[in-house]
Amino acid sequence: MFPGRGDEVEGDAVTRAAAEDGGTGSAERVRATAAPREDAVTGPGVEWVRGPAVPREDAVTAPGARDRSAAADGDDARGDGAPVGPQLGAGQGAGAAEDGGTGSAERVRVTAAPREDAVAGPGVERVRGSAVPRDGAVTGPGARGRSAAAKGDDARGDGVHGDGARGDGAPVGTQPAAGQRAGGGAPVGAVVGARVGGAPGGVGAGVDGSGARGGRPGDGELLADRERLGRVFLARVLEPGDETGGRWVRERGVLEVARRLREGGRALPGVSEKRWAGLCARAERADPRRDLADARSAGARFVVPGTAEWPGQLDDLGDARPLGLWVRGGPSLRMWALRSVAVVGARACTEYGAHMAVTLAAGLAERGWVVVSGGAYGIDGAAHRGALGAGGATAAVLACGVDRPYPPGHTALITRIAEQGLVVGELPPGDHPTPSRFILRNRVIAALTRGTVVVEAAYRSGSLVTARAARRLGRHVMGVPGPATSALSAGVHELLRGDAVLVGDAAEVVELVGDMGELPPERRGPVLPTDLLEPRTRQVLSGLPGRGTATPTEVARRAQTTVDDAIARLYELRALGYVERHGDGWKLTRQAMISVRGGRGPC
C-alpha cells in the first residue's frame, strides 16, 4: 500500500504465483483503482497497458533493460517486487519471458488511454497514433510500419489495428535497446522502422507511386485504389487510343508512368521532347480526385481493367486498350457487352436507312440483344430509338465526357439512354469531342460488341472505320444494301464486295453473332390454293386457255393425258371452283385466273 495515492492492491500487498509459462520466479497481479500513471508500460509477459493521465516526462529506460519504470520516485512496483527507480540496470526487470527465460512475471492493467506519441520500434508490427507524432521520431531498421503523415494520420503496417502499439509485452521507452526483438520485450519508443513501399510519403501519398505498402490483406485494396487513381490521372493526360502510352503502362505500370509524368524530367522512350513537354504540361493541371468527384455528381463511375465490370473483350485492342471507361447507368457493362451488336451508319441518312436502322434495332432488342451505337444523328440515333421503343437495352459510346451529351440535339435521347441503358466514354468528365476522338471512339464500339452492322455509309463515312476495326479484331461485319445509285450506300456495297455479310433483318444478324442453333426461319414465298392440287390436276388446269373455252380433247392434248382423264379432272376442278362448263367447252373462272397467274410468276 502506498498511503495517500489511493492505490488498492489485491490481497494483502502483493499476490505472487508461479509464472504461466512455466518459468521460475514469481508472478504478481497489481490492480490500481485510482488515477494511474499514463507512462505505465508492459514488459515481457505483460499483456497490455492503458493510462489516461499525462505521462511523466522524466521516465527513461536504460540500455538492455527489459522493463521500464513508471516514475522516477520509486513508488511503483516492478516484476520482482522491488521498487522501480529512475533507472534500471541491465539484467533487471520482469520475470519469466515467453521464450523460456527466468525471472518474475508481472501482469499490470491500468485503465487509462495510452500515450499518443508511442511508436513502433524494431520488430514491432503495428503503430497507430491519433495525435501529432513526436518531432524527434525517426525511422529505424526492422520496423514494418510507419506513420502516414506528421498530422496524426494513421499509419498502416503489418500489425494489428488499435490505438497505441502492441508488442506482446514490449515496454514503452524513448530508445530501443540493442538486440531486443518483437514479441519478446522489444521496446516501443520514438524510433520507428520505415519500410513504406520503397518510397517515403505515407499511405496514399499520391498517384506517383509513393505511399505505404505492407503485407496486410488490406494492402491489395489500397494498391488497387492508388492504381485506379493513377488511371484517372493518365486518362486526363493521354489521348484515347495512344498506343505509346499504352506500351508505357504495360511495361512500367500505371504508378510509374504517372510518377514520371508528374516529375517531368527525361522523356520516356517513343516520344519527342516536344510531345513529352506537352504531356507534362497536361499532367501539371490534372486532378484525378476532382474528376472522380465530377463523375459522382453526374452519376457516373470509372471502370478499370481487372475489375468485375470490365469487359474482357476490350483487351483485344492491345496497347490501344482504354485506360478505363466512364460509365453512366445502372446495369453492368461487362454483362451487357457479352450479348451486344453495334448498329452504325451515316449521319445524313435517308428515310430508307432510318427505317432499316429502327427495324434492325427493335428486332435485336426483342431477341434479347443490346444495341450499341455512338449517339450521333442519323443511323445512330435511329438505332437507339428503335431499341428504346421496343423496351430493350441500348448503350451509347460517346467521344466526349459522359456528363456532356453530344450532339446537343440528342441531350434528351442520351439522358433517356442513361436512365434505361448505359452511356460510356473514355474521356474524363467535361472533355469535348474532336474529329480524331470520333474516329478513335469507333474502335471501342467494334471491340465491345460481337459484330457490327453498317446500314448506310458513303466512301468516307466514319462508320466504315468501325467496320474495319471489327474486321481486324475478328468480329462479324455485316451490311444492309441500298439502291445501287445511292452514294450513301456506296461504302456498304464496297464492304459487301469484300468479306462482309449481307443482312436484311434482325434474324439474319442473330444467325451470325448468336449462339449455335440460333437460325433464321426458312424463307419462302406465299402458298397459293393451286399449290395444294395434285400435279396431274394442276397440269390439266394449266391446259385451259386464259381467255375463251376449250374442248376436252384440246385440254387433254395440252396436258399430255387422255380425254377421259382430262374430263374427270375437269369435273374435279369444277367442284373446287376453278373451271366452269360452257356447252361443249370449258373455261377458267376468275378465281382460277388469279391463282394460275400467281403460280406462273412473272414472264
Side-chain angles (χ1 to χ4, degrees):
M1 297 290 292
F2 303 100
R5 296 181 54 86
D7 296 307
E8 181 178 341
V9 182
E10 292 181 355
D12 295 337
V14 176
T15 302
R16 300 181 176 274
E20 294 180 357
D21 55 0
T24 61
S26 61
E28 175 180 78
R29 181 181 302 273
V30 181
R31 181 185 182 95
T33 58
R37 307 274 293 276
E38 186 167 297
D39 51 356
V41 294
T42 60
V46 181
E47 292 186 352
W48 62 287
V49 178
R50 300 181 63 187
V54 178
R56 296 281 298 270
E57 298 290 337
D58 54 351
V60 295
T61 304
R66 303 195 65 171
D67 199 349
R68 183 187 186 280
S69 65
D73 51 5
D75 58 355
D76 230 333
R78 65 182 175 85
D80 52 3
V84 180
Q87 197 170 31
L88 296 180
Q92 295 177 342
E98 293 180 2
D99 56 4
T102 61
S104 60
E106 162 180 87
R107 182 182 301 272
V108 182
R109 177 166 183 169
V110 189
T111 59
R115 294 177 55 174
E116 292 183 341
D117 58 348
V119 290
V124 178
E125 292 187 355
R126 172 63 196 257
V127 177
R128 182 173 180 178
S130 58
V132 179
R134 296 173 57 176
D135 293 334
V138 295
T139 59
R144 302 290 300 274
R146 188 179 187 274
S147 172
K151 61 181 180 180
D153 293 339
D154 293 340
R156 291 185 169 226
D158 295 337
V160 297
H161 295 256
D163 294 333
R166 198 187 98 173
D168 292 334
V172 176
T174 58
Q175 194 77 312
Q180 295 179 347
R181 60 182 177 86
V188 178
V191 176
V192 185
R195 188 175 184 269
V196 191
V203 177
V207 300
D208 55 356
S210 62
R213 296 175 63 186
R216 304 179 337 279
D219 286 340
E221 299 178 1
L222 178 63
L223 181 61
D225 290 342
R226 291 171 51 223
E227 182 168 344
R228 177 171 173 268
L229 199 64
R231 287 185 177 273
V232 175
F233 169 79
L234 293 179
R236 176 67 71 176
V237 176
L238 301 175
E239 280 293 309
D242 189 342
E243 295 191 16
T244 301
R247 186 175 68 253
W248 292 343
V249 171
R250 173 172 54 84
E251 295 176 351
R252 300 170 180 269
V254 172
L255 299 180
E256 173 64 15
V257 175
R259 183 186 67 81
R260 292 288 296 271
L261 287 168
R262 278 194 178 276
E263 294 177 355
R266 186 177 180 182
L268 290 172
V271 295
S272 63
E273 293 295 334
K274 290 183 178 180
R275 186 182 174 198
W276 178 255
L279 294 176
C280 293
R282 280 190 173 191
E284 291 177 358
R285 299 191 302 171
D287 187 352
R289 298 186 186 277
R290 182 183 61 192
D291 288 339
L292 289 174
D294 293 342
R296 282 193 297 269
S297 63
R301 59 190 180 275
F302 190 63
V303 179
V304 299
T307 58
E309 195 178 352
W310 180 257
Q313 55 265 46
L314 290 179
D315 298 340
D316 295 342
L317 292 171
D319 289 339
R321 180 185 68 173
L323 292 163
L325 290 175
W326 303 89
V327 182
R328 284 178 61 193
S332 169
L333 177 61
R334 175 175 173 269
M335 293 294 103
W336 274 30
L338 292 175
R339 229 177 127 82
S340 61
V341 177
V343 179
V344 296
R347 288 180 173 85
C349 64
T350 63
E351 292 183 4
Y352 161 77
H355 169 75
M356 291 302 300
V358 169
T359 304
L360 280 172
L364 290 169
E366 290 171 355
R367 288 168 172 78
W369 287 82
V370 179
V371 177
V372 179
S373 196
Y377 293 127
I379 298 299
D380 290 12
H384 290 308
R385 292 187 181 94
L388 293 173
T394 184
V397 181
L398 305 183
C400 57
V402 294
D403 62 335
R404 177 176 293 184
Y406 186 88
H410 276 178
T411 299
L413 175 62
I414 293 176
T415 302
R416 186 182 174 195
I417 293 173
E419 295 172 354
Q420 188 170 330
L422 290 174
V423 177
V424 183
E426 285 185 82
L427 293 166
D431 260 16
H432 61 279
T434 62
S436 62
R437 289 174 173 178
F438 280 115
I439 299 299
L440 293 168
R441 177 273 314 269
N442 292 340
R443 83 193 194 288
V444 178
I445 296 177
L448 202 60
T449 56
R450 289 197 187 181
T452 298
V453 183
V454 184
V455 178
E456 279 187 333
Y459 283 122
R460 290 179 54 85
S461 174
S463 57
L464 296 182
V465 176
T466 309
R468 297 187 188 106
R471 179 188 301 162
R472 288 194 303 270
L473 294 170
R475 311 293 198 265
H476 294 285
V477 180
M478 296 153 280
V480 177
T485 57
S486 174
L488 288 175
S489 296
V492 180
H493 296 162
E494 193 67 23
L495 289 175
L496 295 176
R497 292 186 62 196
D499 54 0
V501 179
L502 188 150
V503 293
D505 57 20
E508 294 177 351
V509 174
V510 173
E511 180 184 11
L512 288 176
V513 302
D515 299 329
M516 185 177 295
E518 292 189 66
L519 301 176
E522 184 180 356
R523 307 302 174 98
R524 57 179 302 175
V527 177
L528 299 175
T530 55
D531 296 337
L532 304 177
L533 298 175
E534 293 183 0
R536 289 177 177 268
T537 304
R538 192 163 54 246
Q539 193 172 6
V540 169
L541 180 62
S542 301
L544 290 169
R547 291 182 180 181
T549 62
T551 63
T553 303
E554 295 174 343
V555 172
R557 185 173 64 250
R558 293 173 182 172
Q560 300 178 359
T561 184
T562 63
V563 177
D564 294 338
D565 183 63
I567 293 173
R569 296 189 183 280
L570 285 171
Y571 275 99
E572 181 182 341
L573 291 170
R574 182 185 179 186
L576 294 173
Y578 289 106
V579 298
E580 56 187 8
R581 184 171 180 177
H582 288 270
D584 292 336
W586 295 80
K587 64 177 297 186
L588 295 173
T589 63
R590 178 178 294 275
Q591 174 187 351
M593 292 178 67
I594 296 174
S595 300
V596 170
R597 289 174 181 173
R600 289 174 182 173
C603 296

